[in-house]
Amino acid sequence: MSGKDEPPKLSPVEAMKTSSRGLRGDLDAQMNDSLTGNVTETGKQLIKFHGSYVQDDRDRRAEREEKKLEWAYSYMIRLRIPAGDMTAAQWAALQESCDRNANGVMKITTRQTIQFHGVVKARMKPTMKDFDALGLDAIAACGDVNRNVISGSNPAIAPFHAEVHEYAAAISEALLPKTGAFKEIWLDGEKLEDGKEAEPDPLYQNRYLPRKFKIAVTIPPHNDVDVFVHDIGLIAIGSGEMFEGFNVSIGGGLGATHGNPKTYPRLGNVIGFVAKDKAVEACWQIAAVQRDYGNREDRSLARLKYTLDRLGVDFFKGELEKRLGFALAPARPVSFTHRGDPYGWFSDHHGQWYNTIFVDCGRVKDEDGYNIKSALMDIAQENLCSFRCTANQNVMLTYVPEGNKPKIDAVLAKHGITQGHHTKTKEEAIACVALPTCPLALAEAQRYLPEFVSKVENLQRKHGLIGDAITTRITGCPNGCGRPYVAEIGLVGKGPGRYVLRLGGDYQGERLNRVHLEEADEGEILGELDKLLGAYVKDRKAGERFGDYANRTLFAQAS
Ligand code: SRM
Ligand code: SF4
């Protein structure tokens, strides 16, 4: 932050936000400029608020440069799909749109939504129009606003799952930017008159939040959303059929920068309990406190977690309660047991059927006879059920009428989708996108995970542990998009083929792992895991998970 008497030196993104007239800027003109596939630096920041990032195919940079061509620019679009829920018609039409406008591989993200990659500039408006025709949009899927709100996918976890699940959409709506810019730019909406001020926005005003803001909802004991790594984590409390409200966790976040100790992953603090009818308002006010107190000078320190560590959790909570006009009740006792998705057929408390389909790193494509894209398309086109993206990058078939189960089984079998195709470790593994599209990637992630996990599986086999799930996550850089800091085995990209090896996270996502090797190649990582898994088999306590064992034996002093 600036010295006491100096005016704060706001980050350049702040000026972009305040001068954008409700996120308009000159984005429309830039999208109509067919001379380049790129946009300006300001345009790059602005377009994020519309759910899109300018990217290029990093595998093709050298070839393009040699030919004196600009990089192969295209756009990633991230949809806003609260709680990941879609109808069959929406799924089928999205897949068709992805085939027509993007690279044909829909990517299910760790935040329960879908990304299109490889959309060229000229296809941006048609793609956004496709979304609109389906009742979907991409607004606020990225940018310094509240992002897609995620919610625990497993409906069997409590009789009140559906009621809790609806909070994702309610919160997402309440915290949406009020601007008409999205309609104007992408959907040929009526233009805001020259000189006229943008729509008033009580939450975001004209400055939006200092940084991205994320909210997750879950019902214990299931923690598939990793509830403690979000700016707000809502932990549903209820008994029997009755849902009462949420324990509120604030200040989770994972992003960090190699070599900058001021940045770090952090788990949220549970600050109390809020009744269900006040939960949306509480989220709104937490975002508003962060809007007013967050760091707008240094974006690397602008997330809520740093605001809390700078001002203190008690101060933040006091300010929140002042604005809410009531005090939060004491948090209720809860415990978490697992994070993985339930695979195969299962029913909820009301007799509805569901089936989770494993999607390798969330990439919906046909590969090696496991033809997930074709299978899901057939199911959607026959309208056999609804669809839900999970925060573990899978697809859950939801609300399946009893009579459609055999039809779905037949489609799945036809396309090679059989249960037990993957080990438990594989089923729970996550990787971020990384190369070739992510500009921040230092190492491979989703293209490397299948190979790495199969090598971990070999070690598990060797040590008689193949039946165990060991949470394994890889990201291409320390931003942590695949939540590697809460994995039992976390690999964080440091350079090509080189990773930080982090160990000691717990199975249910309540403890951060720690650095075991600062930088290692595959051979060094597997050698270390071989040694540790061997020792684990011999020395583990009854029922002790690998992450707990690693934490106990490797980091005893640090605890
Ligand atoms: Fe992420 C940036 C992909 C979940 C922390 N993330 C990016 C970008 C947009 C790179 C960029 O800024 O240019 C990546 C686009 C890659 C590509 O080619 O698609 C990217 N993040 C993803 C996704 C697609 C990973 C995936 O494979 O599923 C996830 C999309 C989620 C969504 O649907 O909204 C994704 N990102 C996360 C998560 C996990 C979560 O939220 O549960 C995190 C860690 C939690 C957190 O936010 O702290 C995460 N992403 C980041 C950060 C670090 C933020 C920070 O506070 O430092 C960045 C970089 C940034 O914001 O500057 C980032
Ligand atoms: Fe890109 Fe890093 Fe996120 Fe992976 S963790 S998608 S490499 S920003």
Side-chain angles (χ1 to χ4, degrees):
M1 308 283 272
S2 309
K4 208 163 159 235
D5 302 322
E6 295 167 39
K9 287 195 196 77
L10 299 182
S11 97
V13 178
E14 292 303 317
M16 182 285 289
K17 289 185 269 189
T18 48
S19 64
S20 72
R21 287 180 81 226
L23 305 177
R24 288 170 178 86
D26 64 349
L27 193 55
D28 194 29
Q30 292 205 44
M31 294 317 289
N32 290 331
D33 176 1
S34 57
L35 290 178
T36 172
N38 201 357
V39 292
T40 59
E41 286 310 308
T42 313
K44 279 184 186 153
Q45 292 300 332
L46 186 51
I47 200 169
K48 293 184 190 179
F49 291 75
H50 296 252
S52 179
Y53 285 76
V54 188
Q55 303 186 320
D56 74 289
D57 185 341
R58 292 178 58 184
D59 288 346
R60 296 181 58 201
R61 277 186 188 175
E63 164 215 321
R64 303 278 300 182
E65 280 168 9
E66 202 173 308
K67 291 182 185 155
K68 308 255 179 300
L69 294 170
E70 74 172 14
W71 288 348
Y73 290 111
S74 66
Y75 295 74
M76 175 268 271
I77 314 181
R78 186 180 288 165
L79 282 136
R80 180 179 68 95
I81 309 179
D85 280 334
M86 275 162 289
T87 62
Q90 285 173 327
W91 180 276
L94 280 182
Q95 183 62 75
E96 279 163 7
S97 177
C98 186
D99 288 342
R100 211 171 39 246
N101 299 311
N103 67 359
V105 182
M106 296 206 291
K107 161 85 183 180
I108 299 166
T109 74
T110 49
R111 303 200 80 251
Q112 258 185 329
T113 187
I114 288 174
Q115 283 184 186
F116 283 16
H117 287 97
V119 183
V120 295
K121 204 188 236 187
R123 300 306 302 164
M124 283 294 285
K125 290 188 184 185
T127 311
M128 295 289 200
K129 284 178 186 159
D130 282 355
F131 298 163
D132 184 56
L134 298 169
L136 295 169
D137 61 52
I139 191 154
C142 321
D144 297 344
V145 282
N146 176 53
R147 308 270 184 108
N148 195 41
V149 181
I150 65 175
S151 169
S153 304
N154 186 347
I157 219 75
F160 47 80
H161 179 271
E163 186 184 353
V164 171
H165 214 55
E166 282 169 13
Y167 275 79
I171 296 166
S172 181
E173 275 307 310
L175 275 69
L176 267 188
K178 301 289 176 250
T179 176
F182 189 81
K183 281 207 170 76
E184 221 177 285
I185 296 172
W186 307 108
L187 310 174
D188 302 328
E190 202 182 317
K191 300 262 179 280
L192 183 70
E193 264 171 53
D194 279 350
K196 203 168 166 198
E197 295 217 349
E199 304 78 354
D201 192 326
L203 175 58
Y204 297 116
Q205 302 168 350
N206 69 346
R207 53 192 175 139
Y208 299 87
L209 299 181
R211 201 64 162 85
K212 56 171 66 168
F213 196 82
K214 299 181 174 179
I215 303 179
V217 181
T218 200
I219 307 176
H222 199 203
N223 190 20
D224 59 341
V225 297
D226 278 311
V227 72
F228 298 110
V229 314
H230 303 271
D231 296 273
I232 302 179
L234 295 179
I235 302 159
I237 307 290
S239 62
E241 302 277 327
M242 273 278 295
F243 163 53
E244 295 169 50
F246 298 99
N247 281 355
V248 181
S249 157
I250 58 170
L254 297 181
T257 308
H258 289 310
N260 180 356
K262 287 188 186 160
T263 65
Y264 44 82
R266 182 187 194 280
L267 295 184
N269 300 88
V270 176
I271 56 167
F273 169 88
V274 65
K276 63 181 181 181
D277 59 326
K278 297 286 182 201
V280 177
E281 188 189 348
C283 290
W284 198 100
Q285 291 293 3
I286 292 167
V289 178
Q290 161 67 355
R291 176 197 65 207
D292 296 342
Y293 287 94
N295 182 336
R296 289 180 185 263
E297 298 163 42
D298 181 348
R299 288 183 65 76
S300 69
L301 302 178
R303 290 290 291 271
L304 172 58
K305 61 182 175 181
Y306 302 116
T307 313
L308 284 183
D309 285 345
R310 182 165 42 85
L311 300 176
V313 175
D314 288 344
F315 171 84
F316 194 98
K317 185 179 170 192
E319 184 64 25
L320 170 67
E321 291 179 336
K322 203 159 71 191
R323 294 180 189 207
L324 282 171
F326 63 86
L328 298 181
R332 309 279 179 87
V334 291
S335 72
F336 290 99
T337 55
H338 60 291
R339 284 182 283 181
D341 288 335
Y343 290 98
W345 288 111
F346 64 98
S347 63
D348 65 12
H349 292 255
H350 313 286
Q352 289 273 1
W353 286 98
Y354 303 83
N355 191 339
T356 314
I357 310 296
F358 172 76
V359 185
D360 207 340
C361 296
R363 285 186 294 174
V364 181
K365 60 180 189 169
D366 293 349
E367 197 168 34
D368 299 333
Y370 189 83
N371 297 335
I372 195 81
K373 179 175 168 181
S374 303
L376 294 175
M377 192 60 168
D378 284 359
I379 291 168
Q381 281 176 336
E382 285 189 50
N383 195 19
L384 297 177
C385 59
S386 297
F387 287 65
R388 175 173 298 160
C389 297
T390 79
N392 286 313
Q393 302 175 314
N394 293 312
V395 173
M396 188 180 284
L397 306 178
T398 55
Y399 312 111
V400 184
E402 175 94 42
N404 286 351
K405 283 174 64 193
K407 293 183 195 162
I408 288 179
D409 282 336
V411 176
L412 293 176
K414 178 176 146 204
H415 293 291
I417 317 295
T418 49
Q419 296 300 336
H421 196 94
H422 304 286
T423 63
K424 288 203 159 60
T425 293
K426 182 71 187 273
E427 284 181 345
E428 298 202 10
I430 293 181
C432 71
V433 180
L435 293 160
T437 51
C438 180
L440 309 178
L442 304 170
E444 295 282 355
Q446 70 182 13
R447 295 199 295 200
Y448 174 51
L449 181 127
E451 183 187 333
F452 179 74
V453 168
S454 73
K455 290 177 179 168
V456 172
E457 288 165 347
N458 287 340
L459 295 178
Q460 286 187 263
R461 257 181 225 104
K462 173 176 165 188
H463 296 291
L465 294 168
I466 196 65
D468 290 9
I470 301 179
T471 324
T472 305
R473 297 178 174 181
I474 305 180
T475 57
C477 86
N479 284 318
C481 301
R483 302 190 288 265
Y485 302 100
V486 280
E488 292 179 283
I489 300 174
L491 266 59
V492 175
K494 204 148 188 195
R498 303 191 70 79
Y499 297 86
V500 180
L501 172 63
R502 302 183 60 108
L503 298 172
D506 57 2
Y507 186 64
Q508 59 278 8
E510 292 181 286
R511 182 177 63 233
L512 291 172
N513 52 23
R514 297 174 207 242
V515 176
H516 180 59
L517 298 179
E518 276 289 355
E519 187 171 339
D521 63 17
E522 184 185 83
E524 290 163 325
I525 292 168
L526 292 172
E528 203 57 18
L529 290 178
D530 190 11
K531 208 169 66 190
L532 286 167
L533 288 170
Y536 167 60
V537 168
K538 279 204 231 106
D539 301 337
R540 65 181 153 178
K541 294 180 180 167
E544 191 175 34
R545 290 267 178 188
F546 177 65
D548 294 331
Y549 169 80
N551 185 54
R552 176 169 66 80
T553 57
L554 298 174
F555 306 113
Q557 250 105 57
S559 318

